[in-house]
Amino acid sequence: MSRRESGAGEGTPLSSPASTTAVVVVTLKVVKHSCGIAKQLRGETQERFLRRITHVHLEGRALSSLVCDPPDLLSRVCPAVSTLYAHENSLRELPQSLDAPNLTHLYLQSNQIQQLRGLSGLLNLKKLYLEYNCISLVEGLEKLLHLEELHLSHQQLPPGKEMTFDSPTLQSLSASLRVLTCACNNMTTLYPLSKLVTLDASSNCIEDIKVRACAPLSNSSALQQVKGVLSECGDLRELNLKGNPLCHGRSYREEIVITSRLTVLDEKDVLPQERTFLLRKAGAATKHQHEARRAASQGGGFSGGSGGDANNGDDSPHEFASSAALDLPPVPHGATVAPAPRPLKVRPPHSQAMRQKPSCPMELHVRRL
């Protein structure tokens, strides 16, 4: 390993002074001694050994920069390298022109990276870990057409600064990204990606959500905008929005569960029984609203007449409700509608024995026997 500065053997926190950081030139020797459990077999040539290395460990070494020598080291000399660990260092920028077409996993969390540059050569990258850096604008990922997981949570940003996405990156990520974590980044707007399965945007400042990368929804509530995102992300199964203003609504969970196919919402499982109960509850509420509107529309035709309940006394209002179904001529304006005649109350006939009064106590006694 060749180093341009000393003191890079031990891991140091992000606040370490620049004098303790190092610039590492990734050479054949560095790769050979940072390949983890892979060992060169007896009689195996170095060239053959380097060609079968798959993992390179450079984490926890207080590195401030990475440079490959030769530049095509990871593409020609070590073409099998699929995983590079460079987390818990002091990197302020990504490796310049990192040419590793077979690299699929890149670990860069817990560094001091501010800009995403130098990743255009990672054509087959699938998982990118960038938590605990200083990234305010997610850009430069247009050529990562196979990226499936992007981890961006806990960026160390100044107060009032939020993390955002540029449009070209969003359009590129929407075709392949399945997992996105962007918690605790002061985000006020969340953009949906059509292929997402897991989305963690907790502990942000999200109040509205853009359904497309071009323009936000019109003046609709935050909850309605969440529903729009769910309709755009048909494959979404796990959603975490805890700690955002939009999830403080009373019916937030109910409406999200009903309008989606989520299995986990805010780190809580969505059980089939819960969804069934909420669907029945929503159906009953909708039916009640329809019935109330129908009753209001039917009762509005009699509000102008003077022969309503005020002149009927003990007459039942159902008589007028039933007369609405009859084919009656229209009532002239200002005319008085006569109440319907009340049905005669016919007393049921009593038996002759009950109407005859006993003539003497003895007769009453005989009748009782």
Side-chain angles (χ1 to χ4, degrees):
M1 178 183 301
S2 60
R3 299 186 179 182
R4 299 179 183 175
E5 297 183 22
S6 60
E10 300 295 333
T12 58
L14 295 181
S15 60
S16 300
S19 59
T20 61
T21 62
V23 177
V24 171
V25 178
V26 182
T27 61
L28 298 179
K29 186 176 181 181
V30 172
V31 173
K32 184 177 179 180
H33 290 85
S34 304
C35 57
I37 61 175
K39 301 297 180 182
Q40 185 173 359
L41 302 177
R42 180 178 298 180
E44 185 179 22
T45 63
Q46 177 174 303
E47 180 181 0
R48 187 170 184 178
F49 171 63
L50 292 174
R51 293 186 66 85
R52 66 180 180 86
I53 291 176
T54 58
H55 291 65
V56 177
H57 295 263
L58 299 175
E59 69 274 13
R61 303 190 184 188
L63 310 179
S64 63
S65 181
L66 290 175
V67 179
C68 289
D69 184 20
D72 59 351
L73 174 65
L74 299 180
S75 60
R76 181 180 58 85
V77 182
C78 304
V81 173
S82 61
T83 304
L84 175 59
Y85 300 95
H87 54 279
E88 297 180 3
N89 284 294
S90 299
L91 297 175
R92 293 181 174 84
E93 59 183 4
L94 296 175
Q96 295 297 320
S97 301
L98 184 60
D99 186 12
N102 294 321
L103 193 69
T104 58
H105 295 63
L106 180 57
Y107 295 82
L108 294 170
Q109 63 268 33
S110 299
N111 279 285
Q112 299 177 6
I113 300 172
Q114 298 182 5
Q115 295 180 339
L116 296 178
R117 296 177 181 176
L119 298 177
S120 58
L122 308 180
L123 302 180
N124 291 309
L125 190 66
K126 294 183 178 180
K127 297 182 180 182
L128 179 58
Y129 296 84
L130 290 165
E131 302 101 319
Y132 295 98
N133 279 283
C134 307
I135 301 170
S136 60
L137 177 61
V138 182
E139 59 180 347
L141 305 181
E142 296 85 0
K143 295 186 179 181
L144 305 185
L145 303 180
H146 301 283
L147 191 63
E148 297 179 356
E149 294 188 17
L150 179 58
H151 301 271
L152 294 164
S153 299
H154 301 280
Q155 297 301 313
Q156 310 301 306
L157 302 176
K161 187 73 172 179
E162 66 172 296
M163 189 184 70
T164 57
F165 292 75
D166 72 340
S167 297
T169 295
L170 280 174
Q171 294 177 2
S172 176
L173 294 179
S174 63
S176 61
L177 198 66
R178 299 180 64 83
V179 177
L180 174 62
T181 61
C182 51
C184 302
N185 288 328
N186 300 326
M187 297 176 62
T188 58
T189 303
L190 185 65
Y191 299 83
L193 301 169
S194 58
K195 299 295 184 180
L196 277 182
V197 177
T198 302
L199 174 59
D200 181 7
S202 58
S203 301
N204 280 292
C205 306
I206 299 172
E207 294 182 355
D208 68 311
I209 295 180
K210 291 186 178 181
V211 176
R212 293 178 177 84
C214 300
L217 286 175
S218 57
N219 302 322
S220 58
S221 66
L223 188 57
Q224 293 297 327
Q225 293 175 2
V226 175
K227 294 180 181 179
V229 169
L230 294 176
S231 65
E232 292 282 325
C233 305
D235 296 332
L236 192 63
R237 293 296 179 269
E238 297 185 18
L239 175 63
N240 189 0
L241 295 175
K242 290 175 63 177
N244 286 281
L246 63 84
C247 65
H248 296 160
R250 195 165 119 192
S251 59
Y252 157 75
R253 181 177 178 86
E254 296 182 7
E255 298 198 32
I256 293 299
V257 170
I258 292 173
T259 57
S260 69
R261 293 186 291 176
L262 295 175
T263 58
V264 179
L265 176 58
D266 296 342
E267 300 180 344
K268 182 179 179 181
D269 292 341
V270 178
L271 301 178
Q273 301 92 318
E274 178 185 6
R275 179 173 278 113
T276 301
F277 170 76
L278 294 178
L279 286 172
R280 290 178 179 176
K281 180 180 177 181
T286 303
K287 182 178 179 181
H288 177 72
Q289 292 177 359
H290 289 328
E291 291 178 350
R293 292 174 184 173
R294 188 183 300 114
S297 62
Q298 291 179 352
F302 299 95
S303 60
S306 61
D309 294 339
N311 294 335
N312 284 342
D314 296 335
D315 292 326
S316 173
H318 295 288
E319 296 173 357
F320 289 94
S322 61
S323 65
L326 300 178
D327 189 10
L328 299 178
V331 179
H333 180 70
T336 303
V337 181
R342 290 190 295 177
L344 297 177
K345 297 181 180 180
V346 181
R347 182 176 298 175
H350 297 278
S351 62
Q352 189 70 17
M354 293 295 296
R355 287 189 287 118
Q356 292 181 355
K357 296 183 180 180
S359 57
C360 62
M362 182 60 68
E363 184 178 353
L364 177 61
H365 179 69
V366 172
R367 289 183 181 179
R368 288 179 178 175
L369 293 177

